[in-house]
PDB file of all heavy atoms in Angstrom:
ATOM      1  N   GLU G  46       2.050   3.241  12.123  1.00 42.00           N
ATOM      2  CA  GLU G  46       0.711   3.113  11.450  1.00 42.00           C
ATOM      3  C   GLU G  46      -0.350   2.928  12.438  1.00 42.00           C
ATOM      4  O   GLU G  46      -1.511   2.999  12.012  1.00 42.00           O
ATOM      5  CB  GLU G  46       0.931   2.067  10.474  1.00 42.00           C
ATOM      6  CG  GLU G  46       1.702   2.313   9.207  1.00 42.00           C
ATOM      7  CD  GLU G  46       1.776   1.243   8.312  1.00 42.00           C
ATOM      8  OE1 GLU G  46       1.150   0.177   8.490  1.00 42.00           O
ATOM      9  OE2 GLU G  46       2.479   1.434   7.204  1.00 42.00           O
ATOM     10  N   SER G  47      -0.123   2.431  13.648  1.00 43.00           N
ATOM     11  CA  SER G  47      -1.073   2.202  14.592  1.00 43.00           C
ATOM     12  C   SER G  47      -1.489   3.354  15.582  1.00 43.00           C
ATOM     13  O   SER G  47      -2.171   3.122  16.420  1.00 43.00           O
ATOM     14  CB  SER G  47      -0.687   1.009  15.425  1.00 43.00           C
ATOM     15  OG  SER G  47       0.529   1.289  16.248  1.00 43.00           O
ATOM     16  N   SER G  48      -0.895   4.414  15.233  1.00 44.00           N
ATOM     17  CA  SER G  48      -1.083   5.659  15.983  1.00 44.00           C
ATOM     18  C   SER G  48      -2.603   6.028  15.902  1.00 44.00           C
ATOM     19  O   SER G  48      -3.160   5.991  14.888  1.00 44.00           O
ATOM     20  CB  SER G  48      -0.254   6.823  15.526  1.00 44.00           C
ATOM     21  OG  SER G  48      -0.592   8.013  16.268  1.00 44.00           O
ATOM     22  N   THR G  49      -3.231   6.407  17.096  1.00 62.00           N
ATOM     23  CA  THR G  49      -4.646   6.715  17.089  1.00 62.00           C
ATOM     24  C   THR G  49      -4.844   8.192  17.257  1.00 62.00           C
ATOM     25  O   THR G  49      -5.955   8.739  17.240  1.00 62.00           O
ATOM     26  CB  THR G  49      -5.347   5.976  18.180  1.00 62.00           C
ATOM     27  OG1 THR G  49      -4.781   6.393  19.422  1.00 62.00           O
ATOM     28  CG2 THR G  49      -5.316   4.491  17.974  1.00 62.00           C
ATOM     29  N   VAL G  50      -3.791   9.052  17.417  1.00 71.00           N
ATOM     30  CA  VAL G  50      -3.862  10.448  17.461  1.00 71.00           C
ATOM     31  C   VAL G  50      -3.453  11.113  16.156  1.00 71.00           C
ATOM     32  O   VAL G  50      -2.334  10.891  15.646  1.00 71.00           O
ATOM     33  CB  VAL G  50      -2.992  11.034  18.665  1.00 71.00           C
ATOM     34  CG1 VAL G  50      -3.195  12.575  18.712  1.00 71.00           C
ATOM     35  CG2 VAL G  50      -3.556  10.413  19.961  1.00 71.00           C
ATOM     36  N   ALA G  51      -4.380  11.838  15.490  1.00 76.00           N
ATOM     37  CA  ALA G  51      -4.024  12.547  14.203  1.00 76.00           C
ATOM     38  C   ALA G  51      -3.958  14.038  14.532  1.00 76.00           C
ATOM     39  O   ALA G  51      -4.477  14.554  15.387  1.00 76.00           O
ATOM     40  CB  ALA G  51      -5.171  12.309  13.243  1.00 76.00           C
ATOM     41  N   ARG G  52      -3.123  14.570  13.654  1.00 79.00           N
ATOM     42  CA  ARG G  52      -2.924  16.057  13.773  1.00 79.00           C
ATOM     43  C   ARG G  52      -3.777  16.722  12.877  1.00 79.00           C
ATOM     44  O   ARG G  52      -3.676  16.608  11.710  1.00 79.00           O
ATOM     45  CB  ARG G  52      -1.490  16.369  13.473  1.00 79.00           C
ATOM     46  CG  ARG G  52      -1.211  17.840  13.772  1.00 79.00           C
ATOM     47  CD  ARG G  52       0.350  18.090  13.502  1.00 79.00           C
ATOM     48  NE  ARG G  52       0.519  19.529  13.614  1.00 79.00           N
ATOM     49  CZ  ARG G  52       1.592  20.091  14.157  1.00 79.00           C
ATOM     50  NH1 ARG G  52       2.557  19.332  14.474  1.00 79.00           N
ATOM     51  NH2 ARG G  52       1.716  21.326  14.075  1.00 79.00           N
ATOM     52  N   ALA G  53      -4.763  17.445  13.337  1.00 81.00           N
ATOM     53  CA  ALA G  53      -5.918  18.109  12.537  1.00 81.00           C
ATOM     54  C   ALA G  53      -5.249  19.157  11.674  1.00 81.00           C
ATOM     55  O   ALA G  53      -4.434  19.989  12.178  1.00 81.00           O
ATOM     56  CB  ALA G  53      -6.933  18.632  13.474  1.00 81.00           C
ATOM     57  N   ARG G  54      -5.666  19.207  10.451  1.00 88.00           N
ATOM     58  CA  ARG G  54      -5.236  20.354   9.505  1.00 88.00           C
ATOM     59  C   ARG G  54      -5.835  21.584   9.966  1.00 88.00           C
ATOM     60  O   ARG G  54      -7.036  21.559  10.276  1.00 88.00           O
ATOM     61  CB  ARG G  54      -5.540  19.999   8.154  1.00 88.00           C
ATOM     62  CG  ARG G  54      -5.144  18.688   7.625  1.00 88.00           C
ATOM     63  CD  ARG G  54      -3.609  18.785   7.106  1.00 88.00           C
ATOM     64  NE  ARG G  54      -3.253  17.513   6.560  1.00 88.00           N
ATOM     65  CZ  ARG G  54      -2.046  17.087   6.649  1.00 88.00           C
ATOM     66  NH1 ARG G  54      -1.102  17.796   7.233  1.00 88.00           N
ATOM     67  NH2 ARG G  54      -1.729  15.958   6.063  1.00 88.00           N
ATOM     68  N   MET G  55      -5.061  22.706   9.903  1.00 91.00           N
ATOM     69  CA  MET G  55      -5.470  23.938  10.541  1.00 91.00           C
ATOM     70  C   MET G  55      -5.115  25.095   9.728  1.00 91.00           C
ATOM     71  O   MET G  55      -4.086  25.126   9.108  1.00 91.00           O
ATOM     72  CB  MET G  55      -4.915  24.022  11.954  1.00 91.00           C
ATOM     73  CG  MET G  55      -5.277  25.257  12.729  1.00 91.00           C
ATOM     74  SD  MET G  55      -4.535  25.267  14.411  1.00 91.00           S
ATOM     75  CE  MET G  55      -2.744  25.552  14.032  1.00 91.00           C
ATOM     76  N   ASP G  56      -6.012  26.114   9.691  1.00 93.00           N
ATOM     77  CA  ASP G  56      -5.665  27.535   9.162  1.00 93.00           C
ATOM     78  C   ASP G  56      -6.013  28.478  10.258  1.00 93.00           C
ATOM     79  O   ASP G  56      -6.982  28.417  10.826  1.00 93.00           O
ATOM     80  CB  ASP G  56      -6.586  27.767   7.864  1.00 93.00           C
ATOM     81  CG  ASP G  56      -6.321  26.756   6.721  1.00 93.00           C
ATOM     82  OD1 ASP G  56      -5.116  26.382   6.578  1.00 93.00           O
ATOM     83  OD2 ASP G  56      -7.347  26.348   6.116  1.00 93.00           O
ATOM     84  N   VAL G  57      -4.968  29.452  10.385  1.00 94.00           N
ATOM     85  CA  VAL G  57      -5.269  30.566  11.322  1.00 94.00           C
ATOM     86  C   VAL G  57      -5.176  31.909  10.396  1.00 94.00           C
ATOM     87  O   VAL G  57      -4.136  32.053   9.822  1.00 94.00           O
ATOM     88  CB  VAL G  57      -4.199  30.634  12.407  1.00 94.00           C
ATOM     89  CG1 VAL G  57      -4.375  31.831  13.359  1.00 94.00           C
ATOM     90  CG2 VAL G  57      -4.203  29.348  13.234  1.00 94.00           C
ATOM     91  N   VAL G  58      -6.211  32.674  10.576  1.00 94.00           N
ATOM     92  CA  VAL G  58      -6.314  33.890   9.792  1.00 94.00           C
ATOM     93  C   VAL G  58      -6.398  35.112  10.779  1.00 94.00           C
ATOM     94  O   VAL G  58      -7.324  34.998  11.652  1.00 94.00           O
ATOM     95  CB  VAL G  58      -7.387  33.940   8.724  1.00 94.00           C
ATOM     96  CG1 VAL G  58      -7.412  35.284   7.986  1.00 94.00           C
ATOM     97  CG2 VAL G  58      -7.181  32.847   7.722  1.00 94.00           C
TER      98      VAL G  58
END
Side-chain angles (χ1 to χ4, degrees):
E46 289 183 359
S47 64
S48 175
T49 58
V50 177
R52 188 175 172 148
R54 304 277 184 214
M55 176 177 75
D56 297 322
V57 178
V58 178

